Amino acid sequence: MARFKVGVQLRPQHTDITALREAWQRADELGVDSIFTWDHFYPLNGDPEGTHFEGSSLLAAMAVTTTRARFGMLVYCNSYRNPELLADMARTVDLLSGGRYVLGVGAGWFERDYTEYGYEFGTAPERLRALGEALPRIKERLGKLKPADPDLPILIGGGGEKVTLRLVAQYADLWNTFGPVENFRHKNQVLNEWCAKLGRDPKAVERTVMIGDDEIDNYQAYLDAGADHIILGGNHPFELDNVRRLLAHAQD
């Protein structure tokens, strides 16, 4: 049995569709526990006018061209889609995959996506308030859709201590944030405190963390800080050598 779960986020920037499809199929064959992409409309680094692909369309393709890994968005921007629509999209892709989908959602932050696609950027508190309003609507819609899994897992991304982590304690089955390890340890403890305040078993929330390739050999520190699931980022040309290294550590 693996000591921890291993995931990869395949970033749909500066690449092509064939390379992306081959990368998620190879990751699935390697035995990763999870495969993610992201919900942006433009590259986050490198040439800002470089090639880029829309993430939810990729997830539908991923659903039918992988066989074992859980998969999803890390994470959907709540602002871009009506909550009921997002729930319906999620259950459809989940059915396509045979029940392997994880619905990842967050408040959103990349201003260029908003302004160039005609969304109101607003303020961070406004976006967090909208996320808090959307989460119960998503769960309610999942309970109404037929067929659907009303317990389809929800992942919330972010580390805001006053609002985001409270929402995680209320609604999430998984939570994702970032390193370094000191940051993860602190945020994890805050989440535990929110779980205690709200009467939620902290073990009910799977703790995922995205780390840098240079931190792979420091994986034990993340496990000691409370991580259950460690995720690496993957950019074109998607060699996946670092994913293999982390998988080897998980099997030690």
Side-chain angles (χ1 to χ4, degrees):
M1 181 177 177
R3 298 174 56 212
F4 59 94
K5 294 179 181 178
V6 174
V8 61
Q9 183 191 56
L10 300 172
R11 297 160 180 160
Q13 60 177 5
H14 310 304
T15 186
D16 57 58
I17 290 292
T18 298
L20 276 165
R21 183 172 59 245
E22 290 176 349
W24 70 57
Q25 289 175 316
R26 284 189 288 119
D28 192 46
E29 291 165 1
L30 283 174
V32 297
D33 296 280
S34 62
I35 306 169
F36 295 98
T37 190
W38 69 27
D39 191 28
H40 295 290
F41 306 137
Y42 295 93
L44 295 190
N45 46 55
D47 179 2
E49 303 304 324
T51 57
H52 195 279
F53 300 98
E54 194 277 323
S56 60
S57 306
L58 296 176
L59 292 181
M62 197 181 296
V64 297
T65 55
T66 59
T67 60
R68 62 168 307 279
R70 306 213 77 169
F71 70 102
M73 198 75 79
L74 198 64
V75 290
Y76 272 113
C77 174
N78 174 64
S79 308
Y80 301 160
R81 299 163 191 86
N82 168 279
E84 285 76 16
L85 172 61
L86 184 58
D88 205 345
M89 292 166 59
R91 70 94 183 218
T92 301
V93 176
D94 185 54
L95 290 168
L96 284 169
S97 74
R100 294 180 289 116
Y101 186 74
V102 176
L103 174 52
V105 64
W109 62 273
F110 189 41
E111 188 170 3
R112 185 186 181 191
D113 283 347
Y114 282 80
T115 56
E116 296 213 27
Y117 275 59
Y119 296 101
E120 179 66 35
F121 187 56
T123 66
E126 288 171 340
R127 295 193 298 277
L128 283 167
R129 184 162 53 251
L131 176 62
E133 294 168 354
L135 286 162
R137 289 171 59 184
I138 289 169
K139 292 184 76 72
E140 181 180 7
R141 181 57 52 178
L142 286 171
K144 292 180 177 179
L145 291 166
K146 295 184 177 63
D149 178 2
D151 298 318
L152 188 149
I154 292 175
L155 180 153
I156 296 176
E161 297 178 19
K162 294 181 179 180
V163 179
T164 303
L165 293 180
R166 172 176 56 81
L167 293 174
V168 172
Q170 285 180 282
Y171 296 108
D173 302 288
L174 302 91
W175 162 65
N176 185 75
T177 193
F178 297 87
V181 68
E182 295 80 9
N183 176 71
F184 175 75
R185 180 183 295 109
H186 172 69
K187 301 293 185 181
N188 190 58
Q189 182 55 42
V190 174
L191 176 54
N192 287 338
E193 292 167 3
W194 272 117
C195 287
K197 290 175 184 177
L198 297 174
R200 181 91 185 274
D201 181 356
K203 294 181 181 179
V205 183
E206 184 174 315
R207 316 303 169 97
T208 83
V209 60
M210 176 166 280
I211 69 171
D213 290 346
D214 60 345
E215 297 181 283
I216 290 173
D217 294 330
N218 197 35
Y219 71 92
Q220 187 61 52
Y222 281 97
L223 301 183
D224 293 342
D228 303 303
H229 192 153
I230 299 177
I231 301 169
L232 297 177
N235 290 306
H236 184 83
F238 307 121
E239 298 294 345
L240 302 185
D241 291 343
N242 286 321
V243 174
R244 291 184 181 88
R245 284 179 56 209
L246 188 58
L247 282 166
H249 284 311
Q251 298 296 335
D252 285 346

